[in-house]
Amino acid sequence: MTDTKKAKHHREPWVHIVKRDDLPWWKAWLIRISAIVIAILLVGVISTLLTKVSFLEVYEVMIKGVFGRLFEGGSTTMLWKFLQETAILLCLALAVTPAFKMRFWNCGAEGQALMGGLASMICMIELGDKLPYPVLLGVIFLTSMLAGALWGVIPAIFKAQYNTNETLFTLMMNYVATQIIKYYVYIEGGGSNTIQPVAAGNLPIIGDNRYLLNVIIVAVLTVGLFIYQKYSKQGYEISVVGESQNTAKYVGINVKKVIIRTMIISGAICGIAGMLLVAGTDHSINTNTVGGQGFTAIMVSWLGQFNPFIMVLMSGLVVFLRMGAGKVADTCALNASFADIAVGIVILFVVGCEFFIRYSVKFKHSNKEVKA
Amino acid sequence: MGKPVAIELKNITKTFGQKVIANKDVNLIAYKGEILSILGENGSGKTTLMNMISGIYFPDEGQIFVEGQEAVIASPKDAFGYGIGMIHQHFKLVNVFTAAENIVLGVNDGRYNLKKSKAKIKEICDKYGFNIDLDKKIYTMSVSEKQTVEIIKVLYRGADILILDEPTAVLTPQETDKLFDILRNMREDGKSIIIITHKLNEVMEISDRVAVLRKGENVGVVNTCEVNPSKLTELMVGDKVELNINRTEPKNVADRLVVNGITCYSRDGVKLLDNVSFTAKAGEILGIAGIAGSGQRELLESVAGLQKLQSGEILYHNPKTGSIENLRDKTPMQIRNLGVRLSFVPEDRLGMGLVGNMDIVDNMMLRSYRKGKGMFLRRQKPKNLANDIVDRLQVVTPSVSTPVRRLSGGNVQKVLVGREIASSPKVLMVAYPVRGLDINSSYTIFNLLNEQKEKGAAVIFVGEDLDALLELSDRIMVIGSGRITGTVDARTATKEEIGLLMTKSEREREGDNND
């Protein structure tokens, strides 16, 4: 023991991690924004190293990849594609958010959106020439929401009744949904693995902006969900159940009911995302229609701290990087995974900077503080 | 004092953020072969100070000297290097391991040889008088046994300075006596023992010296033999506090809640409540005494509609309509819809009574958010209520939109009790309402309970401090192992009487086994 006592006689450690008080909101945001800036710079550096394209040119390529020639007076096609992809990702992120607030880990947005899309597809094919257009749209809207809600409520019922693990359950439901789509495509496509785009039951085009309606629908959902979570009684119940089921029971909230109701909402919004993809975008369906965005959405929801308005920014950022880095990879003959790497770097920084918001790092006994 | 110094703190300061000063310029010496009590109200910085000695926190300023040499303690491992061991309030043991396995866990002394280690542990046990089965798994142990394992663990690692954080909070009086005997043995052996506590009688009983902390500062170190409890209280709170609770005679007493033979089982089939019957009367405080975990929680939760019952009935006499409602098998919602004015301050404040991450306003709404038509919340009334409670009960908080988890324990409890009495209850159940609270907050709570009693509520008060129970209650019902072992008049009963009732069922059971 005396040995250890002596051995321990070293200097005081270099740094201490100290918990902070709550930072004023603007300081916290300064840290977050600087994290994003640093991350984007890092993406640029890595791109330069990999491609030998000059540093600034990387960003030029990126911006062109996202906005096309918009800033040179060109068409707005690329901009709309950017908005469309952001809207879809945001829609899925909005969908999982109420469930997450309730600490119900809905990893099944992918499958729920696929089922919503399938419902749209079936309506378009089967009812396209039988119903007047406005009625058809209404039917598509409702059935898609129902299908998504159904896919979401099944795990919720099992969770409420038997306390099954919702993460695994919702994940498995994704595979079931994918197989159902596969089967449907096989039947409808006559074995060709594709369904030709259907002309009936497409969402209307406002002006000549193909995706404007999609963007509007998601914008309405964003505001709606914000209000629902913050100002409605049901939203309050979701928070209470998420924070503590014991408290919820103590004040007489029917926890099972809240779980089931919330997952119906979550699934229904996923269903809307599926409808926007099928009736509003592709006019067809395949197993890749949602393309893994149901999982990206989970991350967007977390990054946005379950606040719909912050999620708008986060989904925009993710889509910007995905498209931009994709373009860089294209132009410079890099592997397509480059886009994933870029997104990964930014997320690492965004998540990592939360540490510096909650804690400060102190060097020795000086009172200097180092911020991100 | 001719004794050698074990550890010395010089000008220790620790702040959390800019606002909270946990310790300020604390100087303290602990000698070898003595028991030093650190006394202070909740939030006075006792635990923070000890956490700095045991390597959990690092001081912002000041120095620590161990046996005269300056020590840098940046982690619990460093602390062990200096022979400092801390026994925390919440035990840090691996449940599925045996006592012996837990004790040797993390000690790097050559090859893992449990047999050899056990011999060494036995030696320690014999030396200080521990009595424990080393092959018993932690999850089958009582709280007191777990604590014993923690203490042996620290000794096994060669600690010469032992810090115990509120060691008696979870023990029965008998277990406390046993612990104190062991602590005295260790003192004889030359160990330096520091206990953190806020129980005055224990300070008087066990310690040689007392250091009193107030608001993070050391306000005085005194020899125990030269002081009395009221002097210590004075030091602790700054100015003299009236220790008497004003107990009025019950008025307009009437049966309010009649419980008949309720029985319930845990999920594993253990009987938690065994044929419990009692009556809570309007206008009086019914105290419930018992060793922790004897069924108090289940009893209150049964009434609140949170516990499934196998048999019995819970009858509420509605003073307004004169009707009698059976609350058994009803949900909290159904109970409320029957017009039963029942309030419940549960033991687990932040895990059940309140939502820690929500602000005071939103916590006020927990009971009432359904009120009003439509799907949207109305925050105006809860906000007024929150402001009112903050003013009236002197809740220390930056604002009513501060998350309650950031308030201190006493303020959290004021918020919770404030909300529960705001609905002017006819039955008010409170579980351990002053646990962890400083003296001033405790009296605020006691006064609120008295106020409710005078307003004609039937107050059911589950407590652990027998002195407080005897001073506050009108009748005291004692529960042991899920059974009611007796009810006494609080004005005439003695602590010994209640203590005997508390352990009655245990002894009866042992008697059964011997037959």
Side-chain angles (χ1 to χ4, degrees):
Chain A
M1 172 149 312
T2 35
D3 282 359
T4 40
K5 268 183 191 172
K6 274 193 186 132
K8 287 292 167 202
H9 242 280
H10 53 66
R11 276 164 317 172
E12 185 192 332
W14 264 95
V15 288
H16 295 294
I17 311 295
V18 182
K19 202 159 183 179
R20 291 182 196 261
D21 285 339
D22 283 4
L23 281 175
W25 64 271
W26 60 269
K27 263 193 188 168
W29 277 101
L30 203 68
I31 292 179
R32 291 195 183 104
I33 290 167
S34 17
I36 292 174
V37 170
I38 293 169
I40 290 177
L41 287 176
L42 190 64
V43 170
V45 171
I46 291 176
S47 312
T48 311
L49 290 176
L50 287 175
T51 60
K52 311 241 164 39
V53 177
S54 84
F55 190 63
L56 287 174
E57 221 174 309
V58 171
Y59 296 110
E60 208 186 309
V61 174
M62 266 189 154
I63 290 169
K64 267 200 188 131
V66 178
F67 299 113
R69 302 206 165 272
L70 183 67
F71 301 119
E72 294 149 40
S75 79
T76 54
T77 323
M78 289 299 282
L79 175 69
W80 279 108
K81 191 166 164 12
F82 169 72
L83 291 177
Q84 150 76 6
E85 293 209 358
T86 305
I88 297 292
L89 181 58
L90 177 60
C91 187
L92 288 162
L94 292 173
V96 296
T97 298
F100 277 14
K101 262 209 118 164
M102 195 176 64
R103 306 259 161 94
F104 182 103
W105 309 119
N106 178 14
C107 297
E110 189 87 4
Q112 288 149 25
L114 273 178
M115 292 312 279
L118 179 66
S120 299
M121 195 74 238
I122 294 174
C123 290
M124 285 156 70
I125 292 177
E126 303 299 332
L127 305 172
D129 48 359
K130 296 190 183 80
L131 292 175
Y133 183 59
V135 181
L136 178 63
L137 281 185
V139 171
I140 287 176
F141 196 73
L142 282 177
T143 50
S144 306
M145 278 174 63
L146 271 177
L150 176 73
W151 224 243
V153 82
I154 295 171
I157 291 171
F158 277 81
K159 170 83 179 181
Q161 292 300 330
Y162 309 108
N163 198 23
T164 52
N165 180 312
E166 75 276 10
T167 313
L168 288 174
F169 206 132
T170 49
L171 271 177
M172 292 304 140
M173 292 294 278
N174 289 339
Y175 295 106
V176 179
T178 310
Q179 295 309 315
I180 291 176
I181 304 288
K182 217 175 196 170
Y183 184 63
Y184 182 75
V185 172
Y186 175 76
I187 293 174
E188 267 317 311
S192 72
N193 277 337
T194 42
I195 296 177
Q196 291 307 312
V198 178
N202 294 353
L203 293 191
I205 292 165
I206 301 174
D208 45 357
N209 299 316
R210 230 183 112 198
Y211 299 127
L212 182 57
L213 186 63
N214 287 1
V215 174
I216 291 173
I217 291 176
V218 177
V220 170
L221 277 176
T222 309
V223 178
L225 188 73
F226 179 80
I227 294 171
Y228 179 76
Q229 289 196 148
K230 188 140 194 218
Y231 298 108
S232 81
K233 290 176 184 173
Q234 296 190 358
Y236 181 74
E237 285 177 346
I238 290 174
S239 308
V240 176
V241 171
E243 290 287 343
S244 157
Q245 293 211 0
N246 263 336
T247 308
K249 283 176 193 151
Y250 158 81
V251 296
I253 293 175
N254 186 337
V255 175
K256 291 178 183 179
K257 194 176 116 188
V258 174
I259 290 177
I260 290 172
R261 185 182 68 206
T262 307
M263 273 310 288
I264 289 177
I265 293 168
S266 183
I269 303 178
C270 282
I272 293 177
M275 179 203 69
L276 295 179
L277 280 167
V278 172
T281 314
D282 294 346
H283 314 306
S284 171
I285 197 168
N286 61 52
T287 52
N288 216 19
T289 296
V290 188
Q293 297 201 83
F295 298 105
T296 317
I298 294 172
M299 195 179 67
V300 171
S301 178
W302 270 101
L303 290 179
Q305 295 166 350
F306 310 141
N307 179 330
F309 294 126
I310 304 174
M311 278 152 55
V312 174
L313 299 177
M314 289 304 157
S315 45
L317 179 70
V318 169
V319 172
F320 175 86
L321 282 162
R322 202 170 57 197
M323 288 175 73
K327 185 73 178 175
V328 173
D330 257 5
T331 324
C332 309
L334 285 173
N335 190 297
S337 312
F338 182 70
D340 293 337
I341 295 174
V343 175
I345 289 172
V346 173
I347 287 162
L348 187 70
F349 271 73
V350 172
V351 175
C353 82
E354 293 298 318
F355 175 84
F356 293 95
I357 290 171
R358 250 163 249 168
Y359 301 92
S360 64
V361 178
K362 283 191 178 172
F363 284 105
K364 285 204 153 183
H365 266 179
S366 65
N367 282 327
K368 264 188 228 157
E369 278 185 20
V370 179
K371 285 165 195 166
Chain B
M1 275 243 178
K3 288 174 181 167
V5 176
I7 188 165
E8 181 173 8
L9 307 184
K10 272 191 185 160
N11 299 320
I12 294 286
T13 297
K14 177 78 188 170
T15 56
F16 294 105
Q18 267 99 57
K19 278 172 239 150
V20 187
I21 300 166
N23 287 123
K24 198 177 166 217
D25 287 329
V26 175
N27 291 298
L28 190 67
I29 294 177
Y31 297 98
K32 288 186 179 176
E34 73 155 357
I35 298 176
L36 171 70
S37 289
I38 310 270
L39 183 68
E41 296 188 79
N42 269 82
S44 58
K46 299 172 301 221
T47 303
T48 309
L49 189 66
M50 292 304 117
N51 278 340
M52 283 189 276
I53 300 178
S54 60
I56 292 175
Y57 295 143
F58 195 86
D60 294 341
E61 281 166 42
Q63 293 146 304
I64 300 172
F65 295 87
V66 178
E67 292 180 12
Q69 279 189 305
E70 187 175 356
V72 176
I73 306 170
S75 73
K77 212 178 143 202
D78 289 357
F80 271 117
Y82 289 112
I84 302 166
M86 181 151 172
I87 290 102
H88 293 271
Q89 229 170 334
H90 304 284
F91 305 136
K92 295 160 185 346
L93 298 166
V94 182
N95 263 330
V96 293
F97 282 9
T98 63
E101 284 165 341
N102 266 289
I103 290 165
V104 300
L105 192 70
V107 179
N108 194 358
D109 55 353
R111 278 184 59 208
Y112 176 71
N113 182 345
L114 198 59
K115 224 176 172 182
K116 228 167 100 188
S117 305
K118 264 187 183 160
K120 202 174 146 197
I121 298 168
K122 277 259 163 60
E123 222 172 88
I124 294 173
C125 291
D126 294 344
K127 192 166 169 192
Y128 300 110
F130 292 108
N131 193 2
I132 191 136
D133 176 1
L134 290 178
D135 296 316
K136 203 170 172 185
K137 303 249 194 229
I138 298 296
Y139 65 86
T140 62
M141 284 186 173
S142 71
V143 186
S144 147
E145 284 174 297
K146 287 181 194 172
Q147 188 183 54
T148 307
V149 175
E150 282 279 8
I151 298 173
I152 301 175
K153 191 167 95 181
V154 165
L155 289 171
Y156 182 81
R157 291 171 171 223
D160 295 318
I161 302 164
L162 282 94
I163 305 163
L164 296 102
D165 190 358
E166 307 265 358
T168 59
V170 288
L171 302 182
T172 62
Q174 289 80 359
E175 288 166 342
T176 304
D177 287 343
K178 233 165 79 189
L179 174 71
F180 284 178
D181 284 340
I182 286 169
L183 293 182
R184 287 189 192 104
N185 287 342
M186 292 200 267
R187 172 177 61 189
E188 299 318 313
D189 191 45
K191 306 259 182 214
S192 174
I193 292 156
I194 304 176
I195 9 184
I196 305 176
T197 180
H198 55 230
K199 292 186 186 165
L200 289 171
N201 57 338
E202 290 176 359
V203 171
M204 298 304 294
E205 190 186 336
I206 185 85
S207 57
D208 301 309
R209 290 187 309 138
V210 195
V212 184
L213 290 190
R214 192 201 312 153
K215 290 177 180 153
E217 293 181 63
N218 185 351
V219 291
V221 183
V222 286
N223 291 326
T224 315
C225 53
E226 294 162 11
V227 288
N228 55 40
S230 72
K231 178 85 196 305
L232 284 176
T233 312
E234 234 180 281
L235 270 174
M236 244 165 90
V237 296
D239 45 70
K240 210 172 163 89
V241 175
E242 189 57 51
L243 271 162
N244 292 319
I245 303 170
N246 178 29
R247 173 166 51 194
T248 55
E249 283 299 318
K251 278 178 287 187
N252 306 323
V253 176
D255 286 4
R256 179 60 34 84
L257 195 70
V258 180
V259 172
N260 281 328
I262 56 171
T263 298
C264 80
Y265 294 85
S266 75
R267 227 179 248 179
D268 315 319
V270 179
K271 225 178 214 181
L272 298 172
L273 291 177
D274 187 357
N275 199 18
V276 169
S277 302
F278 67 93
T279 304
K281 292 175 183 160
E284 70 159 27
I285 296 180
L286 173 67
I288 298 182
I291 297 162
S294 301
Q296 294 97 322
R297 200 184 82 213
E298 289 76 14
L299 182 61
L300 298 190
E301 291 188 356
S302 301
V303 177
L306 297 165
Q307 184 79 43
K308 233 185 140 124
L309 295 178
Q310 264 67 40
S311 65
E313 52 182 10
I314 298 163
L315 302 175
Y316 173 78
H317 295 243
N318 193 327
K320 248 189 191 161
T321 60
S323 63
I324 296 173
E325 308 281 359
N326 188 357
L327 308 185
R328 186 188 158 187
D329 294 336
K330 294 210 164 57
T331 63
M333 208 49 218
Q334 288 169 323
I335 291 175
R336 195 147 0 127
N337 290 341
L338 281 172
V340 177
R341 300 256 286 279
L342 178 78
S343 284
F344 177 23
V345 177
E347 181 181 345
D348 186 359
R349 292 161 204 162
L350 286 176
M352 189 176 206
L354 300 165
V355 178
N357 278 328
M358 286 186 175
D359 64 17
I360 301 180
V361 176
D362 279 14
N363 270 297
M364 287 302 137
M365 280 198 303
L366 271 172
R367 288 268 190 207
S368 60
Y369 75 96
R370 293 182 193 85
K371 274 185 194 155
K373 276 184 197 146
M375 65 173 290
F376 291 105
L377 296 165
R378 279 172 197 142
R379 280 198 170 85
Q380 194 49 49
K381 268 191 190 162
K383 197 174 171 187
N384 296 343
L385 177 61
N387 279 320
D388 184 47
I389 287 175
V390 168
D391 279 357
R392 209 157 36 90
L393 304 186
Q394 295 164 353
V395 179
V396 181
T397 173
S399 79
V400 288
S401 42
T402 305
V404 290
R405 80 183 140 78
R406 263 201 244 125
L407 307 182
S408 74
N411 290 314
V412 166
Q413 184 68 321
K414 285 177 188 170
V415 169
L416 176 55
V417 174
R419 184 192 70 205
E420 288 303 299
I421 60 176
S423 55
S424 38
K426 291 294 169 200
V427 177
L428 173 62
M429 301 191 291
V430 289
Y432 307 108
V434 297
R435 180 183 278 176
L437 266 59
D438 59 62
I439 288 181
N440 286 321
S441 305
S442 298
Y443 280 88
T444 310
I445 302 291
F446 288 146
N447 286 335
L448 287 171
L449 296 185
N450 262 330
E451 209 176 277
Q452 290 304 309
K453 160 184 159 183
E454 278 163 35
K455 281 185 182 164
V459 180
I460 301 175
F461 163 43
V462 173
E464 51 201 336
D465 181 356
L466 294 184
D467 292 311
L469 273 166
L470 281 168
E471 279 201 57
L472 185 71
S473 317
D474 297 296
R475 286 183 301 142
I476 296 175
M477 178 170 90
V478 186
I479 188 167
S481 305
R483 278 188 280 180
I484 303 300
T485 52
T487 304
V488 295
D489 183 339
R491 283 176 177 76
T492 55
T494 60
K495 264 163 106 172
E496 288 68 33
E497 210 177 315
I498 295 172
L500 280 173
L501 286 170
M502 276 165 73
T503 50
K504 188 174 160 193
S505 63
E506 296 277 314
R507 277 178 282 119
E508 275 173 4
R509 204 156 288 176
E510 273 164 30
D512 289 347
N513 291 343
N514 292 341
D515 288 344

